[in-house]
Amino acid sequence: MDHMEQREPKKDEDLQAETSEDTSVTPEEKKTPKKQGLLADLYDWLEVLAVSVAAVFILFAFVLRVAEVDGTSMTNTLQDGEKLLVQELFYTPKQGDIVVCQSEFFGFDKPLVKRVIATEGQTVSIDEETWTVTVDGVALKEDYVRYMKGQNMKGWSYGESYTVPEGMVFVMGDNRNGSWDSRDSRIGPIDERYIVGKVILRFAPLDHFGPVK
């Protein structure tokens, strides 16, 4: 009977030889996975960039808007030429807010930056001598107003008091004697539908950067 040939255990040198690098792989083939990795990374970055650009577009198309102060009616709170970020979506006017709006008197191509003094149903009265603005019998604390010492506040067209109609807001500039606003019946209260949004941030010039109140 034939005897089966017994094989000797492989030596360490043999195992090392079998597991050593395959010299048949060319340098070009070795570089291919690295190139593919770089392309994959580039694709990921481009995808992130595209998503970011789309998000910014949607944000500024439907949520935020950029506006510029034109004139001195909001001095000292805002200065002529300053750039503003405006919250547009899901905004309901509130007393004290600074808003960007449009007046039928001026036409819809000229935005106004003013402060909301009263909303629909509220009654406004003004003491021109003391510069006191009262809403529903409560005097407003207006630290933001630019007072003219020795002068009366510019008057208005409504007699002793005025009640804001439904769907309207009564707006005034912080520079009371340098602002054309709802006190003049030719402008009057602003229809809420013509309010672009609330000013939330001043971003230019950079030395004036910050939230707006």
Side-chain angles (χ1 to χ4, degrees), residues 7-19:
R7 297 182 180 178
E8 295 181 0
K10 292 183 179 181
K11 297 179 180 180
D12 291 342
E13 293 81 358
D14 297 331
L15 291 172
Q16 292 175 1
E18 288 181 0
T19 58

Side-chain angles (χ1 to χ4, degrees), residues 107-181:
F108 300 114
D109 60 339
K110 185 176 178 61
L112 308 171
V113 182
K114 304 292 180 183
R115 189 180 295 272
V116 177
I117 299 301
T119 58
E120 62 177 20
Q122 293 187 305
T123 299
V124 183
S125 60
I126 296 177
D127 186 325
E128 299 166 9
E129 185 175 348
T130 64
W131 291 61
T132 303
V133 177
T134 302
V135 177
D136 290 341
V138 178
L140 301 183
K141 183 179 180 181
E142 298 188 297
D143 298 335
Y144 45 76
V145 168
R146 184 184 186 189
Y147 293 98
M148 299 292 183
K149 190 175 181 180
Q151 298 182 27
N152 288 351
M153 184 193 298
K154 187 172 73 172
W156 66 342
S157 308
Y158 303 106
E160 292 186 3
S161 65
Y162 178 79
T163 299
V164 183
E166 182 179 359
M168 302 282 192
V169 293
F170 193 93
V171 300
M172 296 169 64
D174 289 355
N175 181 10
R176 294 289 158 82
N177 279 9
S179 173
W180 201 8
D181 48 43

Side-chain angles (χ1 to χ4, degrees), residues 162-210:
Y162 178 79
T163 299
V164 183
E166 182 179 359
M168 302 282 192
V169 293
F170 193 93
V171 300
M172 296 169 64
D174 289 355
N175 181 10
R176 294 289 158 82
N177 279 9
S179 173
W180 201 8
D181 48 43
S182 292
R183 289 172 292 176
D184 192 312
S185 60
R186 290 172 293 177
I187 296 177
I190 304 295
D191 192 315
E192 289 185 5
R193 294 174 297 177
Y194 301 148
I195 294 179
V196 176
K198 175 185 176 181
V199 176
I200 58 175
L201 182 74
R202 171 176 39 215
F203 65 89
L206 289 178
D207 59 342
H208 290 175
F209 183 90

